[in-house]
Amino acid sequence: MKRRIIGERGLKVSPQDRQISNVLYTMDEALEAFIRAKTAEGVRKGTLTGYHDIFRYFRQWLDEEITNINDITADTIRNYINYLRTERTPYAEDPQRKRTGKGLSVHTINIRIRGLCTLFRFLYNDGIISYNPMQNISQVRDDAHEEVPGLPDKQIDAILASYVDRQFAQWRDKTLIILLLDTGLRIGEALSLTADQVNFKELSITVPSQIAKKRKSREIPISREVAKRLRQLLDETQQYFGEGCKLFMNAYGEDLTDDAFRRRLNRLKRKLNISKLHPHMFRHTFARNYVLNGGDIFTLQRILDHADIQTTRKYVQMDNEHIREQHNKFSPLRNIIKRNGIRV
């Protein structure tokens, strides 16, 4: 008979001190207990949705005969990870993004591993399971690879030139991209903007703590040109949808979502024959260009809302063309040649 071990949350309990119950939890009951606890802790809705999705993907793969959470073993988890690495089709649920190859990226697999680790650690600490199958599971290793790259200048020009300003949706998307390139906002932060968050006089945007990833309010400067476009966009959306609307709305008066914007970028990517295009690339492009234009990395860290300067450094990815440009501009050899009158 499988038994439930109850102990103080977060504390190791010796086998002699554990209270044992005959209660068994189904998969759904265990997940519900986990979600209730995380909701009580104040975890945001988006994070809870992420946990739901991670567990849903896991459930879809599991054998239908496995119904109780205690039936999950470390071997079950390892088999699932191998499935994700070699058999799972990326974006299988999204026809527009579905890929022909097999195997998810290491980054995606590790996100799912971290989610399952959080789930099963909670279940074990709360006594819902007597054994934590994730205890000895490590994240998948990968060869060193470049972080999300920024967009080359030619691609940025092509993207902006592709929009038809006479059409509201395209003019709105272009305004959104220009905003991202000017501020480095996360796509969720940009799409949540309301009129009271934009200070058109002081040329700044406030990201409230309820939206910010670090739960700390911050103010970001914006260029005068961007403020002008946002003012025009706000006037038009308020005219059609009322004063309570957000800046970025779809043609039906609904909030523009990040998924909808990603789908629109995917269509644009195919149209312009660009290998990769998604919202976060504009944030990385801003970070790279900010430094190339003379901005200091510590100010950039504040703007991007990074807790660690090392994270900010990873965002500043420069391709060979930018490296050559910076070398030609700042090489100390030129001053040496000038001082010594060396002819070349």
Side-chain angles (χ1 to χ4, degrees):
M1 179 180 294
K2 295 183 176 64
R3 294 166 293 188
R4 182 163 65 129
I5 301 174
I6 302 175
E8 293 295 328
R9 180 178 300 181
L11 299 177
K12 292 183 178 180
V13 181
S14 65
Q16 295 82 1
D17 295 334
R18 287 180 177 174
Q19 299 178 10
I20 299 175
S21 169
N22 292 328
V23 177
L24 291 176
Y25 281 76
T26 66
M27 298 286 191
D28 290 337
E29 289 171 341
L31 180 62
E32 287 174 5
F34 172 72
I35 295 297
R36 279 198 305 270
K38 292 301 174 183
T39 301
E41 292 173 9
V43 173
R44 286 178 174 164
K45 184 178 179 180
T47 304
L48 296 177
T49 300
Y51 285 135
H52 270 291
D53 290 342
I54 288 172
F55 198 64
R56 174 169 56 86
Y57 295 140
F58 182 54
R59 286 286 305 277
Q60 290 172 350
W61 171 83
L62 277 175
D63 191 317
E64 292 182 357
E65 295 181 359
I66 298 179
T67 57
N68 293 323
I69 197 69
N70 275 287
D71 294 332
I72 305 300
T73 66
D75 199 44
T76 306
I77 299 297
R78 292 189 179 101
N79 287 335
Y80 177 59
I81 293 173
N82 286 330
Y83 159 76
L84 296 178
R85 294 184 63 186
T86 60
E87 299 180 41
R88 181 70 158 87
T89 302
Y91 304 112
E93 297 83 6
D94 189 341
Q96 294 188 3
R97 303 177 70 188
K98 185 176 180 180
R99 298 176 184 173
T100 56
K102 297 291 185 179
L104 303 184
S105 69
V106 170
H107 176 71
T108 300
I109 294 173
N110 284 337
I111 288 176
R112 299 194 184 182
I113 291 175
R114 287 195 295 271
L116 291 175
C117 278
T118 303
L119 169 66
F120 282 101
R121 183 170 56 247
F122 163 80
L123 297 177
Y124 178 77
N125 288 343
D126 258 34
I128 293 174
I129 56 177
S130 57
Y131 159 75
N132 181 0
M134 298 296 298
Q135 182 175 355
N136 295 318
I137 302 296
S138 301
Q139 294 201 349
V140 178
R141 297 181 180 181
D142 191 18
D143 295 332
H145 61 282
E146 187 182 69
E147 297 292 322
V148 177
L151 293 161
D153 292 341
K154 290 183 179 179
Q155 286 188 0
I156 295 174
D157 295 344
I159 290 169
L160 295 178
S162 70
Y163 288 109
V164 180
D165 287 348
R166 295 189 304 274
Q167 298 182 19
F168 170 77
Q170 294 198 35
W171 182 75
R172 175 207 60 206
D173 288 359
K174 184 175 180 179
T175 300
L176 176 56
I177 290 173
I178 289 174
L179 172 66
L180 297 176
L181 291 172
D182 186 50
T183 62
L185 285 169
R186 300 179 178 93
I187 184 60
E189 294 172 340
L191 292 177
S192 68
L193 283 176
T194 56
D196 58 353
Q197 291 176 243
V198 185
N199 190 324
F200 292 101
K201 183 178 179 180
E202 300 294 333
L203 298 178
S204 66
I205 285 175
T206 299
V207 180
S209 58
Q210 301 93 318
I211 301 299
K213 187 174 182 179
K214 288 170 56 183
R215 301 195 175 211
K216 182 179 179 181
S217 176
R218 75 187 192 279
E219 187 175 291
I220 301 175
I222 57 175
S223 301
R224 189 174 302 277
E225 296 81 0
V226 172
K228 183 177 180 180
R229 287 188 72 100
L230 291 180
R231 178 77 264 179
Q232 294 171 344
L233 178 63
L234 180 61
D235 290 343
E236 189 158 344
T237 52
Q238 287 184 340
Q239 178 182 351
Y240 284 103
F241 309 123
E243 293 188 359
C245 67
K246 294 180 180 177
L247 268 71
F248 296 98
M249 311 286 289
N250 66 21
Y252 303 100
E254 302 165 336
D255 296 347
L256 180 65
T257 65
D258 53 356
D259 283 340
F261 184 55
R262 286 188 177 92
R263 289 193 293 270
R264 295 179 66 82
L265 287 180
N266 277 325
R267 290 195 291 269
L268 182 62
K269 175 184 70 175
R270 292 191 291 269
K271 176 183 175 181
L272 299 179
N273 195 27
I274 297 175
S275 60
K276 183 182 294 185
L277 183 63
H278 55 79
H280 213 59
M281 294 180 73
F282 297 114
R283 181 169 162 87
H284 282 258
T285 303
F286 162 78
R288 181 200 67 205
N289 289 355
Y290 185 88
V291 172
L292 287 174
N293 290 333
D296 71 273
I297 197 166
F298 297 103
T299 303
L300 178 61
Q301 179 188 3
R302 289 285 300 276
I303 294 174
L304 294 179
D305 192 32
H306 287 158
D308 187 352
I309 192 68
Q310 295 303 322
T311 304
T312 310
R313 292 181 185 277
K314 292 179 181 179
Y315 269 60
V316 186
Q317 295 290 325
M318 299 185 190
D319 56 29
N320 290 334
E321 180 181 352
H322 287 105
I323 292 173
R324 284 193 296 269
E325 289 177 359
Q326 292 297 291
H327 178 269
N328 289 336
K329 186 175 181 180
F330 297 110
S331 173
L333 178 62
R334 294 193 173 184
N335 288 332
I336 295 173
I337 290 175
K338 186 177 180 180
R339 287 199 312 270
N340 291 276
I342 300 175
R343 294 183 179 181
V344 293

